[in-house]
C-alpha cells in the first residue's frame, strides 16, 4: 500500500511540475502575432459591388477592381426561389471577381458580385 501511495505522490508531484511549466507558457490574453507577410497594412482597401441582376443560368458576372488595384478577396450572391451560387472565384488576371448561379425551375437567376480590392 505504501508503494502505491508513494507512486501516487510522485505522479502528483510530476503533474504539478508539468502543469507549472505549461502555465508559464500559457497565453496571456494577447493573440499571437501574425506572420510578417500579414503585418503590412492593406493599402487602398475597397469593396466594389456589381448589383443584383437577373441573368441566364450559369452566365458569369464579373466585377473588376479600379485601375492599379488587385483583388484580394470576393464573393457572390444568388437570389431567387431556391437560387444556388454555383461558382465564386477571382479572374485569372487577379483584377476582379466572378460569380455564377442557377435557379431550379427557372431560366434566369439573380446574381450579385463583390470584389475586395487593394494596391
Amino acid at each position: 500500500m505504501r508503494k502505491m501511495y508513494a507512486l501516487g505522490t510522485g505522479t502528483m508531484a510530476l503533474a504539478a511540475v508539468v502543469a507549472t511549466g505549461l502555465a508559464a507558457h500559457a497565453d496571456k490574453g494577447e493573440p499571437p502575432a501574425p506572420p510578417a507577410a500579414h503585418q503590412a497594412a492593406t493599402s487602398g482597401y475597397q469593396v466594389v459591388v456589381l448589383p443584383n441582376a437577373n441573368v441566364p443560368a450559369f452566365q458569369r458576372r464579373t466585377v473588376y477592381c479600379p485601375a492599379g488595384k488587385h483583388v484580394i478577396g470576393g464573393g457572390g450572391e444568388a437570389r431567387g426561389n431556391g437560387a444556388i451560387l454555383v461558382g465564386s472565384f477571382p479572374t485569372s488576371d487577379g483584377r476582379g471577381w466572378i460569380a455564377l448561379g442557377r435557379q431550379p425551375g427557372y431560366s434566369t437567376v439573380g446574381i450579385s458580385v463583390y470584389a475586395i480590392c487593394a494596391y
Side-chain angles (χ1 to χ4, degrees), residues 1-82:
M1 186 75 149
R2 286 185 188 229
K3 288 184 182 181
M4 289 180 65
Y5 181 77
L7 179 60
T9 303
T11 303
M12 293 300 288
L14 178 60
V17 170
V18 170
T20 303
L22 292 176
H25 295 288
D27 183 38
K28 295 181 172 89
E30 299 173 8
H38 296 285
Q39 290 178 359
T42 303
S43 177
Y45 177 91
Q46 178 181 3
V47 177
V48 182
V49 179
L50 185 60
N52 183 63
N54 283 332
V55 296
F58 300 102
Q59 179 176 310
R60 291 179 176 197
R61 293 201 70 212
T62 306
V63 63
Y64 287 97
C65 294
K69 292 188 178 184
H70 295 280
V71 71
I72 59 172
E77 177 182 18
R79 294 183 186 179
N81 293 330

Side-chain angles (χ1 to χ4, degrees), residues 59-110:
Q59 179 176 310
R60 291 179 176 197
R61 293 201 70 212
T62 306
V63 63
Y64 287 97
C65 294
K69 292 188 178 184
H70 295 280
V71 71
I72 59 172
E77 177 182 18
R79 294 183 186 179
N81 293 330
I84 301 165
L85 186 66
V86 176
S88 175
F89 48 91
T91 60
S92 60
D93 61 5
R95 295 185 315 109
W97 202 265
I98 300 168
L100 61 143
R102 68 183 182 91
Q103 188 175 193
Y106 298 88
S107 60
T108 63
V109 61

